[in-house]
Amino acid sequence: MEHIAIAIDGPAGSGKSTAAREVARKLGITYLDTGAMYRSVALKALKNGIDPRDSASVTALLPDTDLRIRIEDGVQHFILDGEDVTGQIRTPEVSRGASDVGVNPAVRLFLVAMQREIAKGQDVVMDGRDIGTYVLPDAPFKFFLTADSKTRALRRYNELLEKGTDKTFEAVHEELLARDANDSGREFAPLRAADDAVLIDTTDLTAGETVELILNTVQAGKK
Ligand code: DC
């Protein structure tokens, strides 16, 4: 039996992870945060003293990289070489590193193979940058979330403030713009809306409203 896949792509701070997690919860299906996979590879590079932009050295790490995803009480845990790194992959340094390792086709092919395997075995909501265009081009439901860059930066800034940060809003905004440019500008599977994706601008939407829009579209399109 074919499994259902819902692809949710968009730039940082567009609200895709929050929406994807909630849509999956409401539908009772698996949520896969593909950004966390790129973050895990970046963390491994950083832990090994490797610059995430150094493609050859990062590629050399892949054969002994064991990345597993464990769901505990509905929460995804990323296990890198036996260590739970879920908490360690949310720093600004890892965000930038994830964008840098994402330029490397070898990293992408390594992670995309895992993502496709997961989607083959079950119904999924997957969020990322290239899910609708490259990972699951035949997904029956595709969404591309956007929002004004200052709104996106403010969402990120508020998250960082909760954890305690000395970064200014301006610095967070600059970093987000740099990451957008890096993700959209790469050659292999760049950040881009699929031609058949439903575009949602979340600038003036609450998380709940975004979820509702997605669920309504999915319900309306179900055969
Ligand atoms: O969604 P996120 O902010 O956790 O993603 C971190 C970085 O990982 C993002 O800037 C680019 C990369 N990424 C990617 O290249 N492709 C994906 N499908 C998901 C993330």
Side-chain angles (χ1 to χ4, degrees):
M1 193 192 76
E2 274 289 299
H3 286 283
I4 257 206
I6 301 175
I8 305 184
D9 291 303
S14 58
K16 62 188 176 342
S17 307
T18 310
R21 187 179 306 112
E22 189 58 13
V23 166
R25 197 185 65 78
K26 288 220 160 134
L27 295 175
I29 65 180
T30 298
Y31 162 53
L32 182 66
D33 173 358
T34 64
M37 300 170 82
Y38 289 88
R39 288 170 180 273
S40 298
V41 173
L43 182 71
K44 174 141 180 173
L46 292 168
K47 281 188 178 216
N48 282 275
I50 291 170
D51 182 335
R53 288 170 299 182
D54 176 353
S55 279
S57 303
V58 173
T59 301
L61 290 176
L62 296 175
D64 6 82
T65 296
D66 178 30
L67 180 61
R68 290 167 199 237
I69 299 144
R70 204 165 56 210
I71 314 271
E72 270 172 32
D73 299 328
V75 179
Q76 288 176 83
H77 287 259
F78 288 84
I79 315 296
L80 176 67
D81 302 327
E83 185 190 1
D84 188 336
V85 296
T86 316
Q88 295 175 52
I89 56 175
R90 297 292 159 195
T91 65
E93 190 190 15
V94 174
S95 300
R96 180 68 211 185
S99 181
D100 286 332
V101 300
V103 171
N104 179 345
V107 171
R108 303 203 72 81
L109 292 174
F110 177 76
L111 297 179
V112 167
M114 288 177 67
Q115 293 157 10
R116 288 185 177 150
E117 201 53 42
I118 290 169
K120 221 192 271 173
Q122 59 208 305
D123 293 344
V124 288
V125 180
M126 219 180 261
D127 81 6
R129 302 289 186 291
D130 61 338
I131 310 304
T133 52
Y134 186 78
V135 181
L136 304 173
D138 297 328
F141 301 105
K142 298 180 186 178
F143 298 89
F144 192 84
L145 273 47
T146 54
D148 168 81
S149 74
K150 289 217 162 123
T151 304
R152 294 190 286 116
L154 191 60
R155 291 172 182 160
R156 270 298 118 83
Y157 180 62
N158 286 336
E159 278 169 21
L160 289 172
L161 271 187
E162 263 177 42
K163 289 190 230 164
T165 183
D166 50 8
K167 279 188 187 285
T168 61
F169 168 75
E170 285 70 28
V172 173
H173 188 222
E174 284 296 310
E175 279 170 19
L176 186 118
L177 291 177
R179 193 141 70 92
D180 283 358
N182 203 43
D183 293 345
S184 318
R186 69 173 174 243
E187 217 154 288
F188 191 94
L191 165 66
R192 190 169 63 72
D195 293 337
D196 52 348
V198 175
L199 303 182
I200 303 178
D201 185 334
T202 68
T203 308
D204 297 315
L205 296 181
T206 63
E209 287 166 339
T210 306
V211 168
E212 212 168 301
L213 259 176
I214 294 174
L215 284 175
N216 288 344
T217 309
V218 170
Q219 298 300 351
K222 255 193 191 160
K223 279 142 213 145

